Amino acid sequence: MFEAISAAAVAPAPPAFQSPVEFDADLISRLSRNGPRYTSYPTADRFTESFGYRDFLRAVADVRTRGAARPLSLYLHIPFCDTVCYYCACNKIVTKRRDKAATYLGYLKREIEMQGRLFAGINEVEQLHFGGGTPTYLSDAQMDDLMAHLHRCFRFAPDDAGEYSIEIDPRTVSAERVHSLRRQGFNRLSIGVQDFDPDVQRAVNRIQPEAQTRDVIDAARAAGFRSVSIDLIYGLPKQTPATMRTTLDKVIAAQPDRIAVYHYAHLPQVFKPQRRIVEADMPDSDTKLAMLQLCIERLTAAGYVYIGMDHFARPDDDLAVAQRQGRLHRNFQGYSTHADTDLVACGVSAISAVGATYSQNVKTLDAYYDALDRHELPVARGTRLSLDDALRRSVIQKLMCQFELSIAAIELAFPIAFASYFERELAQLAELERDGLVQIEDDWITVTHKGRLLIRNVCMVFDRHLAGRGTATHSKTV
Ligand code: SF4
Protein backbone atom coordinates (compact mmCIF):
# COMPACT_ATOMS: atom_id res chain seq x y z
CA MET A 1 0.00 0.00 0.00
CA PHE A 2 1.28 3.43 -0.89
CA GLU A 3 2.25 5.56 2.06
CA ALA A 4 2.60 9.24 1.39
CA ILE A 5 6.02 10.52 2.37
CA SER A 6 5.25 13.15 4.94
CA ALA A 7 6.39 16.66 4.18
CA ALA A 8 8.30 16.61 7.47
CA ALA A 9 10.45 13.76 6.21
CA VAL A 10 11.85 15.91 3.44
CA ALA A 11 14.30 18.70 4.08
CA PRO A 12 12.66 22.01 3.08
CA ALA A 13 14.10 23.77 0.06
CA PRO A 14 15.80 27.13 0.57
CA PRO A 15 13.11 29.83 0.07
CA ALA A 16 14.68 31.22 -3.11
CA PHE A 17 14.38 27.78 -4.71
CA GLN A 18 10.92 26.88 -3.42
CA SER A 19 9.13 25.25 -6.32
CA PRO A 20 5.42 26.00 -6.60
CA VAL A 21 4.20 22.47 -7.11
CA GLU A 22 2.32 20.42 -4.56
CA PHE A 23 1.90 16.66 -4.59
CA ASP A 24 -1.55 15.42 -3.58
CA ALA A 25 -1.69 11.64 -3.84
CA ASP A 26 -5.47 11.38 -3.34
CA LEU A 27 -6.22 13.98 -5.97
CA ILE A 28 -3.83 12.39 -8.48
CA SER A 29 -5.23 8.89 -7.90
CA ARG A 30 -8.74 10.19 -8.35
CA LEU A 31 -8.22 12.42 -11.38
CA SER A 32 -5.35 10.94 -13.40
CA ARG A 33 -6.65 9.62 -16.71
CA ASN A 34 -5.46 9.10 -20.26
CA GLY A 35 -4.89 12.31 -22.18
CA PRO A 36 -2.69 14.16 -24.70
CA ARG A 37 0.64 15.79 -23.84
CA TYR A 38 -0.17 18.83 -26.00
CA THR A 39 3.11 19.22 -27.84
CA SER A 40 0.65 20.41 -30.51
CA TYR A 41 -3.00 21.42 -30.67
CA PRO A 42 -4.83 19.81 -32.40
CA THR A 43 -2.86 16.72 -31.35
CA ALA A 44 -1.17 14.55 -33.99
CA ASP A 45 -3.87 11.85 -33.85
CA ARG A 46 -6.25 14.42 -35.35
CA PHE A 47 -4.14 14.98 -38.49
CA THR A 48 -5.73 13.72 -41.71
CA GLU A 49 -4.45 12.45 -45.05
CA SER A 50 -6.45 15.09 -46.89
CA PHE A 51 -3.59 17.44 -45.99
CA GLY A 52 -0.55 16.73 -48.18
CA TYR A 53 2.57 18.03 -49.85
CA ARG A 54 0.75 20.77 -51.79
CA ASP A 55 -0.93 22.08 -48.64
CA PHE A 56 2.48 22.34 -47.03
CA LEU A 57 3.75 24.33 -50.04
CA ARG A 58 0.73 26.63 -49.72
CA ALA A 59 1.49 27.18 -46.01
CA VAL A 60 5.06 28.23 -46.84
CA ALA A 61 3.78 30.50 -49.63
CA ASP A 62 1.31 32.10 -47.15
CA VAL A 63 4.13 32.79 -44.70
CA ARG A 64 6.07 34.43 -47.53
CA THR A 65 3.14 36.45 -48.93
CA ARG A 66 2.09 37.79 -45.56
CA GLY A 67 5.68 38.87 -44.97
CA ALA A 68 5.19 37.21 -41.60
CA ALA A 69 8.48 35.33 -41.70
CA ARG A 70 9.54 34.10 -38.29
CA PRO A 71 12.80 32.55 -37.17
CA LEU A 72 13.06 28.84 -37.84
CA SER A 73 13.31 25.84 -35.64
CA LEU A 74 14.73 22.74 -37.33
CA TYR A 75 14.16 19.16 -36.26
CA LEU A 76 16.08 16.21 -37.73
CA HIS A 77 14.89 12.67 -37.09
CA ILE A 78 17.52 9.91 -37.16
CA PRO A 79 15.44 6.74 -36.69
CA PHE A 80 18.15 4.08 -36.17
CA CYS A 81 19.10 2.28 -32.94
CA ASP A 82 21.60 -0.50 -32.23
CA THR A 83 19.42 -2.39 -29.78
CA VAL A 84 15.87 -2.03 -28.56
CA CYS A 85 14.94 -0.71 -25.13
CA TYR A 86 11.81 -2.55 -24.09
CA TYR A 87 9.99 0.56 -22.82
CA CYS A 88 10.44 2.35 -26.16
CA ALA A 89 7.51 4.13 -27.77
CA CYS A 90 9.54 6.03 -30.39
CA ASN A 91 9.46 5.71 -34.14
CA LYS A 92 12.75 3.85 -34.68
CA ILE A 93 14.42 1.11 -36.70
CA VAL A 94 16.61 -1.32 -34.80
CA THR A 95 19.47 -2.51 -37.00
CA LYS A 96 23.19 -3.20 -36.95
CA ARG A 97 23.44 -2.50 -40.68
CA ARG A 98 25.20 0.86 -40.82
CA ASP A 99 24.77 1.05 -44.62
CA LYS A 100 21.08 1.73 -43.95
CA ALA A 101 22.06 4.96 -42.22
CA ALA A 102 24.24 5.98 -45.18
CA THR A 103 21.30 5.56 -47.59
CA TYR A 104 19.00 7.45 -45.23
CA LEU A 105 21.49 10.27 -44.88
CA GLY A 106 21.55 10.75 -48.66
CA TYR A 107 17.75 11.15 -48.78
CA LEU A 108 17.65 13.30 -45.65
CA LYS A 109 20.08 15.70 -47.29
CA ARG A 110 17.78 15.91 -50.32
CA GLU A 111 14.83 16.82 -48.10
CA ILE A 112 16.91 19.42 -46.25
CA GLU A 113 17.96 20.97 -49.54
CA MET A 114 14.34 21.19 -50.76
CA GLN A 115 13.24 22.80 -47.49
CA GLY A 116 16.22 25.17 -47.57
CA ARG A 117 15.16 26.35 -51.04
CA LEU A 118 11.55 26.83 -49.93
CA PHE A 119 12.62 28.98 -47.01
CA ALA A 120 15.40 30.81 -48.87
CA GLY A 121 15.68 34.39 -47.66
CA ILE A 122 13.43 33.77 -44.63
CA ASN A 123 15.36 31.04 -42.99
CA GLU A 124 17.41 32.14 -40.02
CA VAL A 125 17.56 29.11 -37.73
CA GLU A 126 17.45 29.83 -33.98
CA GLN A 127 16.79 26.32 -32.82
CA LEU A 128 18.01 22.93 -34.01
CA HIS A 129 17.21 19.59 -32.48
CA PHE A 130 18.37 16.11 -33.43
CA GLY A 131 16.13 13.34 -32.11
CA GLY A 132 15.47 9.70 -32.81
CA GLY A 133 16.04 6.83 -32.60
CA THR A 134 19.65 7.50 -31.76
CA PRO A 135 21.08 10.56 -33.56
CA THR A 136 24.63 9.43 -32.75
CA TYR A 137 23.98 6.23 -34.69
CA LEU A 138 25.46 8.40 -37.44
CA SER A 139 29.25 8.26 -37.41
CA ASP A 140 31.33 11.31 -36.62
CA ALA A 141 32.13 11.73 -40.33
CA GLN A 142 28.44 11.41 -41.30
CA MET A 143 27.49 14.03 -38.71
CA ASP A 144 30.20 16.35 -40.03
CA ASP A 145 28.80 15.95 -43.52
CA LEU A 146 25.20 16.50 -42.37
CA MET A 147 25.99 19.62 -40.32
CA ALA A 148 27.98 21.14 -43.19
CA HIS A 149 25.01 20.44 -45.49
CA LEU A 150 22.58 22.07 -43.05
CA HIS A 151 24.79 25.16 -42.90
CA ARG A 152 24.87 25.33 -46.70
CA CYS A 153 21.05 25.16 -46.91
CA PHE A 154 20.08 27.38 -43.95
CA ARG A 155 21.41 30.45 -42.22
CA PHE A 156 22.02 29.88 -38.50
CA ALA A 157 21.95 32.41 -35.64
CA PRO A 158 25.33 32.64 -33.86
CA ASP A 159 26.17 30.05 -31.22
CA ASP A 160 25.34 32.33 -28.27
CA ALA A 161 21.90 33.21 -29.70
CA GLY A 162 20.79 29.78 -30.91
CA GLU A 163 19.75 26.60 -29.13
CA TYR A 164 21.36 23.66 -30.93
CA SER A 165 20.68 20.37 -29.20
CA ILE A 166 21.10 16.66 -29.72
CA GLU A 167 19.84 13.59 -27.85
CA ILE A 168 22.73 11.41 -26.72
CA ASP A 169 22.77 7.75 -25.83
CA PRO A 170 25.94 7.47 -23.69
CA ARG A 171 26.39 3.89 -24.89
CA THR A 172 27.14 5.21 -28.37
CA VAL A 173 29.58 8.07 -27.74
CA SER A 174 33.10 8.55 -26.40
CA ALA A 175 34.44 11.70 -24.72
CA GLU A 176 36.17 12.48 -27.99
CA ARG A 177 32.86 12.25 -29.87
CA VAL A 178 31.27 14.70 -27.41
CA HIS A 179 34.00 17.23 -28.23
CA SER A 180 33.35 16.62 -31.92
CA LEU A 181 29.65 17.34 -31.48
CA ARG A 182 30.48 20.66 -29.85
CA ARG A 183 32.80 21.54 -32.76
CA GLN A 184 30.04 20.56 -35.18
CA GLY A 185 27.84 23.28 -33.69
CA PHE A 186 25.77 21.70 -30.92
CA ASN A 187 25.59 23.63 -27.65
CA ARG A 188 23.05 21.54 -25.69
CA LEU A 189 23.07 17.85 -24.84
CA SER A 190 20.15 15.76 -23.74
CA ILE A 191 21.36 12.52 -22.17
CA GLY A 192 19.16 9.45 -21.86
CA VAL A 193 19.74 7.77 -18.49
CA GLN A 194 16.28 6.48 -17.44
CA ASP A 195 17.61 4.69 -14.32
CA PHE A 196 21.05 3.85 -12.90
CA ASP A 197 19.92 0.66 -11.20
CA PRO A 198 21.45 -2.45 -12.88
CA ASP A 199 18.33 -4.62 -12.28
CA VAL A 200 16.09 -2.01 -13.85
CA GLN A 201 18.50 -1.63 -16.76
CA ARG A 202 18.45 -5.40 -17.34
CA ALA A 203 14.64 -5.50 -17.15
CA VAL A 204 14.38 -2.92 -19.95
CA ASN A 205 17.34 -4.18 -22.02
CA ARG A 206 19.33 -0.98 -21.66
CA ILE A 207 22.62 -1.76 -19.94
CA GLN A 208 24.32 1.55 -19.43
CA PRO A 209 27.11 1.62 -16.84
CA GLU A 210 27.05 4.66 -14.61
CA ALA A 211 30.69 5.52 -15.40
CA GLN A 212 29.82 5.76 -19.10
CA THR A 213 27.14 8.37 -18.38
CA ARG A 214 29.43 10.30 -16.02
CA ASP A 215 32.19 10.39 -18.65
CA VAL A 216 29.78 11.91 -21.18
CA ILE A 217 28.64 14.58 -18.71
CA ASP A 218 32.26 15.44 -17.80
CA ALA A 219 33.19 15.61 -21.48
CA ALA A 220 30.20 17.88 -22.19
CA ARG A 221 31.33 20.31 -19.49
CA ALA A 222 34.92 20.24 -20.72
CA ALA A 223 33.80 20.78 -24.32
CA GLY A 224 31.82 23.89 -23.34
CA PHE A 225 28.23 22.73 -23.84
CA ARG A 226 25.91 25.43 -22.56
CA SER A 227 23.41 23.04 -21.09
CA VAL A 228 23.28 19.38 -20.14
CA SER A 229 19.95 17.73 -19.60
CA ILE A 230 19.25 14.26 -18.16
CA ASP A 231 16.20 12.15 -18.94
CA LEU A 232 14.82 9.75 -16.35
CA ILE A 233 11.76 7.51 -16.40
CA TYR A 234 9.66 6.43 -13.43
CA GLY A 235 7.33 3.45 -13.52
CA LEU A 236 9.78 1.02 -15.15
CA PRO A 237 9.93 -2.70 -14.22
CA LYS A 238 11.93 -3.50 -11.06
CA GLN A 239 11.87 0.16 -9.96
CA THR A 240 11.10 0.91 -6.32
CA PRO A 241 11.23 4.14 -4.30
CA ALA A 242 14.59 2.89 -2.93
CA THR A 243 16.17 2.42 -6.39
CA MET A 244 14.69 5.72 -7.49
CA ARG A 245 16.18 7.52 -4.49
CA THR A 246 19.64 6.18 -5.33
CA THR A 247 19.30 7.18 -8.99
CA LEU A 248 18.10 10.66 -8.03
CA ASP A 249 21.04 11.13 -5.65
CA LYS A 250 23.45 10.23 -8.45
CA VAL A 251 21.72 12.52 -10.94
CA ILE A 252 21.68 15.45 -8.51
CA ALA A 253 25.39 14.90 -7.80
CA ALA A 254 26.08 15.22 -11.54
CA GLN A 255 24.44 18.70 -11.48
CA PRO A 256 22.71 18.75 -14.88
CA ASP A 257 21.05 22.04 -15.89
CA ARG A 258 17.77 20.33 -16.70
CA ILE A 259 16.17 17.07 -15.63
CA ALA A 260 13.17 15.46 -17.28
CA VAL A 261 11.33 12.74 -15.36
CA TYR A 262 8.97 10.96 -17.72
CA HIS A 263 6.15 8.69 -16.67
CA TYR A 264 6.49 5.29 -18.34
CA ALA A 265 3.28 4.63 -20.24
CA HIS A 266 2.88 0.85 -20.45
CA LEU A 267 0.83 0.31 -23.60
CA PRO A 268 1.98 -3.09 -24.91
CA GLN A 269 -1.08 -3.29 -27.17
CA VAL A 270 0.25 -0.22 -29.04
CA PHE A 271 4.06 -0.53 -28.70
CA LYS A 272 5.45 -3.96 -29.57
CA PRO A 273 8.79 -3.79 -27.66
CA GLN A 274 6.84 -3.29 -24.42
CA ARG A 275 5.44 -6.84 -24.75
CA ARG A 276 8.89 -8.07 -23.68
CA ILE A 277 8.53 -6.46 -20.29
CA VAL A 278 7.63 -8.95 -17.55
CA GLU A 279 4.28 -7.77 -16.17
CA ALA A 280 5.09 -9.12 -12.69
CA ASP A 281 8.08 -6.74 -12.52
CA MET A 282 5.91 -3.67 -13.02
CA PRO A 283 5.45 -1.37 -10.03
CA ASP A 284 1.81 -0.88 -9.01
CA SER A 285 0.18 2.52 -9.26
CA ASP A 286 0.73 3.38 -5.58
CA THR A 287 4.46 2.67 -5.94
CA LYS A 288 4.58 4.77 -9.11
CA LEU A 289 2.96 7.67 -7.28
CA ALA A 290 5.42 7.28 -4.41
CA MET A 291 8.28 7.49 -6.92
CA LEU A 292 6.82 10.59 -8.55
CA GLN A 293 6.45 12.22 -5.15
CA LEU A 294 10.03 11.33 -4.34
CA CYS A 295 11.27 12.84 -7.63
CA ILE A 296 9.45 16.12 -7.01
CA GLU A 297 10.60 16.38 -3.41
CA ARG A 298 14.25 15.43 -4.02
CA LEU A 299 14.66 17.64 -7.07
CA THR A 300 12.98 20.71 -5.61
CA ALA A 301 14.91 20.23 -2.34
CA ALA A 302 18.09 20.16 -4.45
CA GLY A 303 17.16 23.57 -5.89
CA TYR A 304 15.54 22.62 -9.20
CA VAL A 305 12.51 24.61 -10.35
CA TYR A 306 9.46 22.72 -11.58
CA ILE A 307 8.88 23.97 -15.13
CA GLY A 308 5.82 21.87 -15.91
CA MET A 309 4.78 18.42 -17.12
CA ASP A 310 7.94 16.35 -16.54
CA HIS A 311 10.55 19.10 -16.54
CA PHE A 312 12.81 20.58 -13.90
CA ALA A 313 15.57 23.16 -14.39
CA ARG A 314 18.11 25.02 -12.32
CA PRO A 315 16.79 28.51 -11.42
CA ASP A 316 19.41 30.18 -13.63
CA ASP A 317 18.67 27.94 -16.64
CA ASP A 318 17.10 29.66 -19.69
CA LEU A 319 13.84 27.71 -19.27
CA ALA A 320 13.35 28.80 -15.65
CA VAL A 321 14.22 32.41 -16.52
CA ALA A 322 11.85 32.37 -19.52
CA GLN A 323 9.04 30.99 -17.37
CA ARG A 324 9.52 33.73 -14.77
CA GLN A 325 9.40 36.31 -17.57
CA GLY A 326 6.32 34.80 -19.28
CA ARG A 327 8.31 33.84 -22.42
CA LEU A 328 8.12 30.07 -22.18
CA HIS A 329 6.83 28.18 -25.20
CA ARG A 330 5.99 24.59 -25.96
CA ASN A 331 6.32 22.63 -29.21
CA PHE A 332 7.19 19.13 -30.42
CA GLN A 333 10.59 19.44 -28.76
CA GLY A 334 8.98 20.16 -25.40
CA TYR A 335 9.47 23.45 -23.56
CA SER A 336 11.44 26.14 -25.36
CA THR A 337 12.54 29.72 -24.93
CA HIS A 338 12.06 30.41 -28.64
CA ALA A 339 8.47 31.47 -29.15
CA ASP A 340 6.82 31.94 -32.52
CA THR A 341 9.21 30.01 -34.68
CA ASP A 342 8.08 28.04 -37.69
CA LEU A 343 9.18 24.44 -37.19
CA VAL A 344 10.59 22.57 -40.19
CA ALA A 345 11.07 18.88 -39.45
CA CYS A 346 12.99 16.50 -41.71
CA GLY A 347 13.18 12.72 -41.67
CA VAL A 348 10.69 9.87 -41.38
CA SER A 349 7.63 10.60 -39.21
CA ALA A 350 8.86 14.13 -38.35
CA ILE A 351 6.23 16.79 -37.70
CA SER A 352 6.49 20.38 -39.00
CA ALA A 353 4.51 23.39 -37.82
CA VAL A 354 4.47 26.17 -40.41
CA GLY A 355 2.09 29.12 -40.18
CA ALA A 356 -1.32 27.79 -39.15
CA THR A 357 -0.58 24.20 -40.22
CA TYR A 358 0.92 20.97 -38.92
CA SER A 359 2.23 18.32 -41.27
CA GLN A 360 3.75 14.93 -40.63
CA ASN A 361 6.13 13.00 -42.87
CA VAL A 362 5.55 9.39 -43.94
CA LYS A 363 6.59 6.80 -41.38
CA THR A 364 8.43 4.13 -43.41
CA LEU A 365 11.80 4.35 -45.13
CA ASP A 366 10.37 3.05 -48.41
CA ALA A 367 7.62 5.68 -48.55
CA TYR A 368 10.15 8.35 -47.57
CA TYR A 369 12.58 7.38 -50.33
CA ASP A 370 9.75 7.05 -52.91
CA ALA A 371 8.44 10.57 -52.29
CA LEU A 372 11.91 12.12 -52.51
CA ASP A 373 12.63 10.12 -55.69
CA ARG A 374 9.51 11.81 -57.13
CA HIS A 375 11.04 15.17 -56.07
CA GLU A 376 8.23 15.71 -53.58
CA LEU A 377 8.46 16.48 -49.89
CA PRO A 378 7.37 13.30 -48.03
CA VAL A 379 4.31 14.81 -46.30
CA ALA A 380 1.77 12.10 -45.39
CA ARG A 381 -0.84 14.00 -43.40
CA GLY A 382 -1.51 17.12 -41.42
CA THR A 383 -4.03 19.78 -40.61
CA ARG A 384 -4.76 23.44 -41.20
CA LEU A 385 -5.89 25.19 -38.03
CA SER A 386 -9.29 26.87 -37.97
CA LEU A 387 -9.66 30.11 -36.01
CA ASP A 388 -11.17 28.05 -33.18
CA ASP A 389 -8.12 25.72 -33.21
CA ALA A 390 -5.75 28.70 -33.08
CA LEU A 391 -7.68 30.20 -30.17
CA ARG A 392 -7.70 26.95 -28.21
CA ARG A 393 -4.02 26.34 -29.01
CA SER A 394 -3.23 29.73 -27.53
CA VAL A 395 -5.25 29.00 -24.37
CA ILE A 396 -3.64 25.56 -23.90
CA GLN A 397 -0.17 26.94 -24.58
CA LYS A 398 -0.55 29.65 -21.92
CA LEU A 399 -1.85 27.19 -19.34
CA MET A 400 0.92 24.65 -20.02
CA CYS A 401 3.75 27.21 -19.93
CA GLN A 402 2.65 29.85 -17.43
CA PHE A 403 0.03 28.00 -15.34
CA GLU A 404 -2.23 31.03 -15.75
CA LEU A 405 -4.35 32.63 -18.42
CA SER A 406 -5.21 36.28 -18.83
CA ILE A 407 -8.76 36.34 -20.19
CA ALA A 408 -8.31 39.97 -21.28
CA ALA A 409 -5.20 39.05 -23.29
CA ILE A 410 -7.09 36.27 -25.11
CA GLU A 411 -10.00 38.64 -25.87
CA LEU A 412 -7.52 41.15 -27.29
CA ALA A 413 -5.88 38.54 -29.53
CA PHE A 414 -9.11 36.86 -30.73
CA PRO A 415 -12.54 38.33 -31.59
CA ILE A 416 -14.49 36.56 -28.83
CA ALA A 417 -16.16 37.23 -25.49
CA PHE A 418 -14.44 34.57 -23.36
CA ALA A 419 -17.30 33.93 -20.92
CA SER A 420 -19.88 33.15 -23.59
CA TYR A 421 -17.52 31.44 -26.09
CA PHE A 422 -16.21 29.09 -23.40
CA GLU A 423 -19.42 28.76 -21.35
CA ARG A 424 -19.33 24.94 -21.42
CA GLU A 425 -15.60 24.84 -20.65
CA LEU A 426 -15.98 27.27 -17.74
CA ALA A 427 -18.65 25.02 -16.25
CA GLN A 428 -16.23 22.06 -16.47
CA LEU A 429 -13.44 24.16 -15.00
CA ALA A 430 -15.71 25.02 -12.07
CA GLU A 431 -15.66 21.29 -11.19
CA LEU A 432 -11.85 21.32 -11.26
CA GLU A 433 -11.98 24.44 -9.10
CA ARG A 434 -14.01 22.50 -6.53
CA ASP A 435 -11.25 19.86 -6.60
CA GLY A 436 -8.69 22.59 -5.96
CA LEU A 437 -6.91 22.40 -9.34
CA VAL A 438 -7.69 25.89 -10.62
CA GLN A 439 -8.88 29.24 -9.42
CA ILE A 440 -11.29 31.16 -11.66
CA GLU A 441 -11.57 34.94 -11.42
CA ASP A 442 -13.19 37.47 -13.76
CA ASP A 443 -9.95 38.17 -15.61
CA TRP A 444 -7.71 35.22 -14.80
CA ILE A 445 -7.66 31.45 -14.70
CA THR A 446 -4.85 30.26 -12.46
CA VAL A 447 -3.64 26.69 -12.01
CA THR A 448 -3.03 26.07 -8.31
CA HIS A 449 0.15 24.49 -6.97
CA LYS A 450 -1.57 21.13 -6.63
CA GLY A 451 -3.21 21.51 -10.04
CA ARG A 452 0.15 21.81 -11.77
CA LEU A 453 0.86 18.07 -11.87
CA LEU A 454 -2.58 17.61 -13.42
CA ILE A 455 -2.14 20.39 -15.97
CA ARG A 456 -3.08 18.02 -18.81
CA ASN A 457 -6.51 17.51 -17.19
CA VAL A 458 -6.99 21.29 -17.15
CA CYS A 459 -5.98 21.64 -20.81
CA MET A 460 -8.23 18.76 -21.87
CA VAL A 461 -11.23 20.92 -20.91
CA PHE A 462 -10.36 23.23 -23.83
CA ASP A 463 -9.69 20.42 -26.35
CA ARG A 464 -12.68 20.45 -28.69
CA HIS A 465 -11.35 17.44 -30.63
CA LEU A 466 -11.47 15.13 -27.61
CA ALA A 467 -15.26 15.15 -27.40
CA GLY A 468 -16.67 11.81 -28.43
CA ARG A 469 -13.26 10.30 -29.30
CA GLY A 470 -11.25 7.77 -27.33
CA THR A 471 -8.09 8.56 -25.38
CA ALA A 472 -6.90 4.95 -25.00
CA THR A 473 -3.73 5.55 -27.03
CA HIS A 474 -2.68 8.48 -24.85
CA SER A 475 -0.68 8.06 -21.67
CA LYS A 476 -1.95 8.80 -18.15
CA THR A 477 -1.96 12.49 -17.29
CA VAL A 478 0.15 11.69 -14.19
S1 SF4 B 1 14.49 4.31 -26.17
FE1 SF4 B 1 15.80 5.46 -27.58
S2 SF4 B 1 17.64 4.18 -27.77
FE2 SF4 B 1 16.07 2.87 -26.88
S3 SF4 B 1 15.12 1.83 -28.64
FE3 SF4 B 1 13.89 3.67 -28.23
S4 SF4 B 1 14.72 5.26 -29.54
FE4 SF4 B 1 16.24 3.60 -29.45
Side-chain angles (χ1 to χ4, degrees), residues 225-277:
F225 275 86
R226 215 163 57 234
S227 159
V228 173
S229 160
I230 284 186
D231 291 347
L232 301 175
I233 302 181
Y234 76 94
L236 292 175
K238 298 272 187 195
Q239 262 180 345
T240 66
T243 64
M244 199 74 216
R245 183 180 289 271
T246 309
T247 291
L248 286 167
D249 286 348
K250 289 175 179 170
V251 169
I252 290 166
Q255 299 186 309
D257 304 276
R258 298 176 188 174
I259 300 171
V261 189
Y262 296 106
H263 173 213
Y264 169 56
H266 191 54
L267 298 167
Q269 70 282 15
V270 185
F271 304 111
K272 226 170 158 187
Q274 297 183 358
R275 294 178 201 162
R276 295 162 83 171
I277 284 179

Side-chain angles (χ1 to χ4, degrees), residues 77-94 132-135 167 169 171-172 194 204-206 233 273:
H77 190 76
I78 310 294
F80 304 102
C81 294
D82 245 337
T83 54
V84 66
C85 312
Y86 295 161
Y87 56 80
C88 185
C90 299
N91 192 289
K92 80 285 164 195
I93 296 156
V94 180
T134 309
E167 291 167 15
D169 178 341
R171 298 172 301 169
T172 62
Q194 328 314 351
V204 297
N205 196 39
R206 187 181 171 116
I233 302 181

Side-chain angles (χ1 to χ4, degrees), residues 64-119:
R64 227 176 234 294
T65 320
R66 285 203 315 270
R70 300 181 289 190
L72 282 191
S73 184
L74 281 184
Y75 173 76
L76 279 294
H77 190 76
I78 310 294
F80 304 102
C81 294
D82 245 337
T83 54
V84 66
C85 312
Y86 295 161
Y87 56 80
C88 185
C90 299
N91 192 289
K92 80 285 164 195
I93 296 156
V94 180
T95 177
K96 304 259 186 225
R97 285 191 42 199
R98 301 277 155 170
D99 56 314
K100 284 200 170 191
T103 308
Y104 182 75
L105 186 58
Y107 280 94
L108 184 64
K109 283 167 67 181
R110 278 202 222 172
E111 188 189 6
I112 291 167
E113 198 177 332
M114 289 169 79
Q115 293 282 16
R117 275 205 301 272
L118 275 181
F119 284 88

Side-chain angles (χ1 to χ4, degrees), residues 5 34 57 97 475:
I5 298 169
N34 294 359
L57 292 183
R97 285 191 42 199
S475 58

